[in-house]
């Protein structure tokens, strides 16, 4: 026996109902305590069979519900008992209306329950290889939350347009054709990324020019004339005012060769204004102060029976998608920050799919605002009522500082050794017995650990009805290729949608 594990000699034959690896056992300890463990390996030596188990928690005479850690250890030679389903139910699935059921504990049929307050207040992550059921697992958790908490406020950043189908009955779906994000909502760093980009030559000069013109345009806003205005203040300004100030600065120049940075800025701005792909940000109709309406729609205030917002990012041009993610995440965090000044603040949940794209482990030498704002939410969000949910099939590529802030981790099968090792390092104490199972989990199975559950557990997730699942199923090649042949009319319809930008 060590401080975290114990070696057990099994009776011959093994006790009735003993399921081997993954089985839960209990051992009496001092002062009325009972120590619980989970078997992670079996050994045979001669005619005897031994089990290796990790300590996962204990109950005491004063606290009948299992809790992490062990204070009173069993002594060598003490008898060990199998934990039956009835006792597992009492330990892991207490009769509490606040708990969320997400599946059953393996092995057996005991409900697997999550504490929603612990899940959300300390952030969570859903990790696993492609095709293991991450999107369905997230949809399951969201549906369970909404069933119990109908006045939630949930925003899902959806880079592949998977979740519109999953929340058709409890959510509102937005894409660049149905949600406007006016250019004036961007802060100065986001303006630089959109108007100047990552080029190094002349970047500092153009940024300085843009800063002066942007500040002048914001200050010219009539509604904000009496307020303290900076280049980051989210007040409407007219693009014509920005261009007008650029022209005014150029008119004061004496040397023609110094006009180049001004002309580059003007050309880029005019290009964005006329390109229909960027119409959701740069349309001439977006100069009115629609900020309250935008926030109310995104955060579902009022809920009106649809507490989930899904935002399809697949239609956002690739060169500004990071800016859009940065803008959205910053808006959510800043809204929560300023709402804490009032008496009616409401917690918010921001879910980031494909999290490794926006909070990568390696810092981006160029635009890094999305990473910075998500890191800030991970570190400070709980102070202001912002919960962060991360979903990724490449956990080893996610920023360690962000993933380390996720108090609850739902780990599905990992086919990549590097990802499996990274998740293993992130799992809390008492999880050793479940680490070996990560590479052999079936679809819809996971290792659930952290603050949201009493102790780590292997879980078989509940089925969701087909109409509540994300549209992320793999294509059925054999069925499609053996069926009806597509003709030129199909090609025409696809190209029509392609050209119109309507999916």
């Amino acid at each position: 026996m060590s401080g975290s594990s114990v070696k057990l000699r099994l009776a011959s034959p093994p006790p009735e109902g003993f399921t081997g690896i993954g089985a839960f056992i209990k051992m009496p300890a001092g002062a009325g305590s009972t120590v619980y463990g989970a078997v992670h390996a079996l050994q045979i030596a001669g005619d005897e069979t031994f089990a290796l188990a990790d300590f996962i928690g204990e109950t005491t005479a004063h606290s009948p519900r299992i809790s992490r850690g062990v204070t009173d250890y069993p002594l060598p030679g003490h008898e060990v008992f199998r934990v039956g389903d009835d006792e597992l139910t009492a330990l892991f699935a207490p009769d509490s209306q606040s708990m969320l059921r997400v599946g059953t504990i393996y092995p057996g049929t005991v409900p697997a329950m999550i504490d929603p307050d612990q899940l959300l207040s300390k952030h969570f992550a859903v990790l696993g290889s492609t095709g293991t059921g991450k999107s369905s697992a997230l949809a399951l958790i969201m549906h369970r939350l909404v069933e119990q908490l109908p006045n939630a406020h949930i925003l899902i950043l959806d880079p592949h347009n998977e979740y519109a189908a999953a929340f058709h009955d409890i959510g509102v779906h937005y894409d660049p054709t149905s949600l406007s994000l006016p250019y004036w909502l961007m802060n100065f760093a986001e303006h630089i990324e959109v108007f100047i980009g990552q080029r190094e030559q002349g970047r500092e000069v153009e940024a300085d020019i843009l800063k002066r013109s942007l500040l002048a345009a914001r200050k010219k806003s009539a509604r904000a004339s009496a307020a303290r205005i900076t280049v980051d203040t989210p007040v409407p300004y007219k693009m014509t005012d920005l261009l007008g100030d650029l022209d005014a600065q150029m008119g004061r120049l004496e040397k023609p060769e110094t006009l180049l940075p001004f002309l580059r800025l003007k050309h880029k701005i005019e290009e964005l204004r006329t390109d229909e792909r960027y119409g959701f940000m740069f349309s001439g109709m977006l100069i009115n102060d629609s900020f309250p309406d935008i926030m109310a729609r995104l955060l579902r205030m009022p809920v009106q029976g649809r507490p989930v917002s899904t935002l399809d990012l697949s239609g956002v041009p690739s060169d500004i998608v990071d800016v859009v993610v940065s803008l959205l995440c910053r808006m959510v965090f800043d809204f929560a920050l300023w709402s804490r000044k009032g008496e009616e603040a409401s917690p918010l949940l921001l879910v980031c799919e494909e999290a490794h794209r926006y909070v990568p482990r390696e810092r981006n030498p160029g635009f890094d605002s999305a990473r910075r704002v998500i890191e800030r939410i991970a570190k400070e969000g709980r102070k202001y009522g912002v919960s962060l949910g991360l979903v990724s099939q490449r956990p080893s590529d996610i920023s360690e500082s962000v993933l380390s802030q996720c108090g609850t981790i739902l780990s599905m099968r990992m086919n990549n050794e590097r990802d499996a090792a990274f998740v293993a390092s992130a799992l809390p104490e008492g999880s050793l017995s479940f680490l070996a199972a990560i590479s052999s989990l079936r679809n819809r199975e996971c290792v659930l650990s952290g603050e949201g559950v009493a102790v780590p557990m292997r879980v078989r997730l509940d089925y969701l009805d087909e109409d509540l699942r994300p549209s992320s199923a793999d294509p059925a090649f054999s069925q499609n290729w053996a069926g009806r042949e597509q003709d030129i009319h199909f090609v025409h319809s696809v190209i029509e949608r392609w050209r119109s930008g309507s999916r």
Side-chain angles (χ1 to χ4, degrees), residues 119-348:
L119 175 78
L120 299 176
S121 66
K122 298 176 182 177
H123 311 311
F124 67 93
V126 181
L127 310 173
S129 298
T130 300
T132 56
K134 296 184 305 301
S135 299
S136 294
L138 177 68
L140 172 66
I141 294 172
M142 296 299 102
H143 278 288
R144 293 289 190 265
L145 280 170
V146 171
E147 287 171 6
Q148 188 166 299
L149 308 170
N151 291 323
H153 304 282
I154 302 169
L155 174 61
I156 301 177
L157 303 184
D158 182 4
H160 302 303
N161 194 24
E162 295 179 339
Y163 291 101
F167 304 112
H168 64 276
D169 57 338
I170 59 170
V172 178
H173 182 66
Y174 301 108
D175 60 27
T177 66
S178 59
L179 178 70
S180 298
L181 288 175
Y183 56 87
W184 47 263
L185 287 173
M186 296 189 294
N187 63 16
F188 182 52
E190 291 155 357
H191 272 84
I192 290 177
E193 175 65 14
V194 174
F195 291 162
I196 300 175
Q198 296 301 315
R199 76 171 170 273
E200 296 181 4
Q201 185 177 3
R203 179 181 173 86
E204 291 185 6
V205 174
E206 289 183 45
D208 187 54
I209 294 170
L210 178 60
K211 185 175 184 178
R212 293 196 298 268
S213 294
L214 177 59
L215 182 58
R218 287 202 192 277
K219 285 185 173 181
K220 198 171 180 179
S221 171
R223 293 191 61 183
S225 58
R228 178 180 176 271
I229 300 299
T230 72
V231 290
D232 291 330
T233 306
V235 295
Y237 72 86
K238 295 179 180 179
M239 195 64 72
T240 53
D241 289 338
L242 179 65
L243 292 170
D245 191 81
L246 286 174
D247 287 334
Q249 290 190 58
M250 285 193 290
R252 294 191 291 268
L253 298 175
E254 298 179 356
K255 298 180 179 181
E257 61 269 20
T258 58
L259 293 176
L260 183 58
F262 291 90
L263 294 174
R264 276 200 299 243
L265 270 175
K266 285 196 65 175
H267 175 73
K268 182 63 176 180
I269 293 172
E270 293 290 359
E271 178 185 305
L272 292 169
R273 294 177 69 189
T274 57
D275 192 331
E276 292 186 1
R277 296 179 303 155
Y278 305 94
F280 69 98
M281 293 190 76
F282 293 98
S283 169
M285 305 297 292
L286 301 178
I287 60 174
N288 294 324
D289 188 0
S290 54
F291 202 4
D293 292 335
I294 292 171
M295 294 306 302
R297 293 177 68 193
L298 277 177
L299 302 179
R300 305 303 306 144
M301 296 180 178
V303 172
Q304 297 179 325
R306 294 179 177 270
V308 180
S309 292
T310 58
L311 185 54
D312 174 19
L313 299 176
S314 63
V316 177
S318 58
D319 56 338
I320 65 167
V321 68
D322 284 351
V323 172
V324 171
V325 171
S326 171
L327 173 59
L328 289 167
C329 294
R330 185 172 52 78
M331 286 166 57
V332 170
F333 181 78
D334 286 347
F335 182 86
L337 185 152
W338 289 101
S339 70
R340 304 305 286 182
K341 302 291 184 180
E343 299 178 355
E344 300 180 359
S346 180
L348 312 170

Side-chain angles (χ1 to χ4, degrees), residues 339-416:
S339 70
R340 304 305 286 182
K341 302 291 184 180
E343 299 178 355
E344 300 180 359
S346 180
L348 312 170
L349 169 58
L350 174 67
V351 178
C352 188
E353 258 278 8
E354 300 281 358
H356 54 273
R357 293 173 54 175
Y358 310 116
V359 277
R361 189 174 189 179
E362 302 296 333
R363 288 192 175 275
N364 187 338
F367 184 73
D368 210 25
S369 288
R371 176 191 169 106
R372 288 199 302 270
V373 70
I374 294 176
E375 283 185 341
R376 188 179 183 192
I377 292 173
K379 294 174 183 177
E380 304 176 30
R382 60 180 299 186
K383 301 176 185 177
Y384 305 107
V386 182
S387 177
L388 180 65
L390 302 178
V391 184
S392 177
Q393 74 265 26
R394 287 160 50 188
S396 60
D397 290 340
I398 298 179
S399 164
E400 291 184 70
S401 64
V402 172
L403 193 57
S404 65
Q405 298 293 327
C406 293
T408 303
I409 296 180
L410 191 153
S411 305
M412 309 193 81
R413 185 173 67 250
M414 299 285 174
N415 297 327
N416 184 289

Side-chain angles (χ1 to χ4, degrees), residues 85 88-89 92-93 101-105 109-113 457:
D85 283 356
L88 283 174
T89 301
F92 297 135
R101 174 188 165 124
V102 294
T104 55
I105 298 175
T109 59
V110 176
M113 311 293 282
M457 58 185 73

Side-chain angles (χ1 to χ4, degrees), residues 479-498:
Q479 180 179 346
N480 280 274
W481 287 357
R484 182 173 62 89
E485 181 181 7
Q486 302 293 357
D487 57 21
I488 188 64
H489 298 292
F490 171 73
V491 178
H492 277 299
S493 64
V494 171
I495 292 177
E496 185 63 30
R497 291 197 301 270
W498 186 353

